[in-house]
């Protein structure tokens, strides 16, 4: 599996026009299976899409498991560097007073910045004989390839892309920090209140699945949902950390709707074929101080 790279996937290989490039009626897997039918031995094929492929993973529509992407607002943008407003604090964030002048946001600085775009890519070995089974091939792409691309997206949003185009939310220089204690409910509710000292509204938390299910067992998950906090669980965050924030105000996922799924003949580690899925994204972080990272001592 590859992480975020400046991938040449959308440039190399025979490009096949799609019957449904915007995925209005067919899935990415169905389009890919249609496009590679009758492919000649040794021939690569690239299937371009006007879509954000992680969002097309079918099971997101039928079960309440949220990726990091689901916490963020999303903007469809041109395929170029995207301008955005950046508002960091001028100094350390302290407790807010009872007048606007004494709030942290009363002294936020602002400037115009540009967010670069990059390709997130994953390569998955293609089982021998699957090209001859179009229905099964479509299901394999939709359910097994796209879910891996979603994992790469989670990794990139939390830790940053390899080329630095996507800043990792866990590594923002201006992020605020706190302690994740043994009492999870107390730690998270106290931290949620701390998030709101910057004027935001704590609307999301990212935790490891081990922490998520502790919260579910204790009933804390339901309490958080009842006050409008969405909890995302992913293995891409360490078990001893929790990221809280006003995700929708603080950052925007930038989606130019440039993506592809490619057949790479003989490119696997054992000389077999690969399916390579790639989707282009960017991340504009407007208010880094709206994020609070809890870690165990």
């Amino acid at each position: 599996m590859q992480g975020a790279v400046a991938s040449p996937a959308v440039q190399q290989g025979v490009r096949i026009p799609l019957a449904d490039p915007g995925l209005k009626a067919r899935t990415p897997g169905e389009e890919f299976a249609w496009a590679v039918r009758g492919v000649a031995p040794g021939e690569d094929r690239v299937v371009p899409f006007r879509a954000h492929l992680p969002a097309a993973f079918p099971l997101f529509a039928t079960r309440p498991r949220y990726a990091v992407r689901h916490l963020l607002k999303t903007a469809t943008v041109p395929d170029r560097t995207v301008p955005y407003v950046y508002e960091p604090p001028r100094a350390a964030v302290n407790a807010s007073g009872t007048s606007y002048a004494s709030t942290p946001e009363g002294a936020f600085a602002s400037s115009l910045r540009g967010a670069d775009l990059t390709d997130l890519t994953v390569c998955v070995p293609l089982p021998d004989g699957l090209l001859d089974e179009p229905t099964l091939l479509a299901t394999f792409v939709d359910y097994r390839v796209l879910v891996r691309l979603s994992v790469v997206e989670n990794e990139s949003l939390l830790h940053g892309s390899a080329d630095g185009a996507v800043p990792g939310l866990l590594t923002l220089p201006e992020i605020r920090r706190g302690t994740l204690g043994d009492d999870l409910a107390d730690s998270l509710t106290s931290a949620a209140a701390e998030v709101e000292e910057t004027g935001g509204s704590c609307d999301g938390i990212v935790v490891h699945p081990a922490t998520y299910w502790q919260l579910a067992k204790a009933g804390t998950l339901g309490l958080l949902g009842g006050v409008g906090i969405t909890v995302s669980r992913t293995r891409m965050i360490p078990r001893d950390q929790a990221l809280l924030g006003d995700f929708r105000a603080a950052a925007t996922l930038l989606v130019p709707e440039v993506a592809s799924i490619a057949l790479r003949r003989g490119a696997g580690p054992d000389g077999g074929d690969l399916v390579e899925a790639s989707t282009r994204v960017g991340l504009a972080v407007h208010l880094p101080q709206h994020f609070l990272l809890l870690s165990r001592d």
Side-chain angles (χ1 to χ4, degrees):
M1 182 181 293
Q2 298 179 6
V5 296
S7 171
V10 296
Q11 301 296 331
Q12 299 175 349
V14 177
R15 295 172 66 87
I16 305 298
L18 297 186
D20 183 25
L23 302 177
K24 301 300 183 184
R26 290 163 62 166
T27 69
E30 289 169 341
E31 285 289 349
F32 179 76
W34 175 85
V36 301
R37 70 201 190 289
V39 63
E43 179 185 312
D44 285 3
R45 285 201 176 174
V46 178
V47 184
F49 294 91
R50 295 195 303 268
H52 182 54
L53 288 180
F57 177 54
L59 293 183
F60 280 142
T62 58
R63 63 187 184 191
R65 179 164 187 173
Y66 303 103
V68 177
R69 170 178 53 81
H70 290 119
L71 305 184
L72 302 165
K73 65 180 178 294
T74 299
T76 302
V77 298
D79 187 19
R80 56 174 172 76
T81 299
V82 180
Y84 69 97
V85 175
Y86 175 64
E87 285 190 279
R90 294 183 186 275
V93 175
N94 297 313
S96 179
T98 56
S99 67
Y100 172 74
S102 62
T103 63
E105 64 267 31
F108 285 175
S110 63
S111 61
L112 195 64
R113 288 194 169 189
D116 293 328
L117 306 177
T118 192
D119 290 335
L120 308 183
T121 301
V122 66
C123 292
V124 181
L126 189 67
D128 290 342
L130 194 56
L131 286 178
D132 300 322
E133 302 288 344
T135 301
L136 190 57
L137 175 61
T139 300
F140 180 78
V141 169
D142 287 332
Y143 286 88
R144 301 309 308 145
V145 177
L146 296 187
V147 72
R148 288 164 164 85
L149 190 57
S150 184
V151 173
V152 170
E153 184 179 64
N154 277 346
E155 176 190 1
S156 300
L157 292 175
L158 291 176
H159 300 281
S161 59
D163 59 7
V166 175
L169 297 178
L170 294 176
T171 60
L172 296 172
E174 305 89 349
I175 197 170
R176 293 187 291 153
R177 298 179 182 272
T179 299
L180 183 62
D182 293 332
D183 188 329
L184 289 175
D186 183 67
S187 291
L188 293 178
T189 53
S190 296
E194 183 63 25
V195 166
E196 300 187 355
E197 283 294 325
T198 61
S201 178
C202 186
D203 61 12
I205 302 175
V206 182
V207 294
H208 189 276
T211 303
Y212 179 94
W213 289 110
Q214 290 181 55
L215 296 172
K217 180 181 179 181
T220 306
L221 197 61
L223 294 175
L224 293 172
V227 294
I229 296 178
T230 301
V231 182
S232 167
R233 65 186 189 271
T234 173
R235 296 162 296 163
M236 299 300 103
I237 190 171
R239 291 171 180 260
D240 60 352
Q241 291 186 343
L243 177 66
L244 298 89
D246 185 346
F247 282 80
R248 293 188 180 276
T252 304
L253 180 65
L254 308 172
V255 178
E257 295 189 328
V258 176
S260 67
I261 301 176
L263 173 64
R264 302 298 184 193
R265 307 305 295 269
D270 57 355
D273 298 335
L274 292 178
V275 174
E276 180 184 76
S278 180
T279 199
R280 190 164 297 166
V281 300
L283 183 67
V285 180
H286 313 284
L287 297 155
Q289 64 274 24
H290 276 24
F291 291 106
L292 176 59
L293 179 62
L294 301 182
S295 303
R296 296 197 188 279
D297 293 334

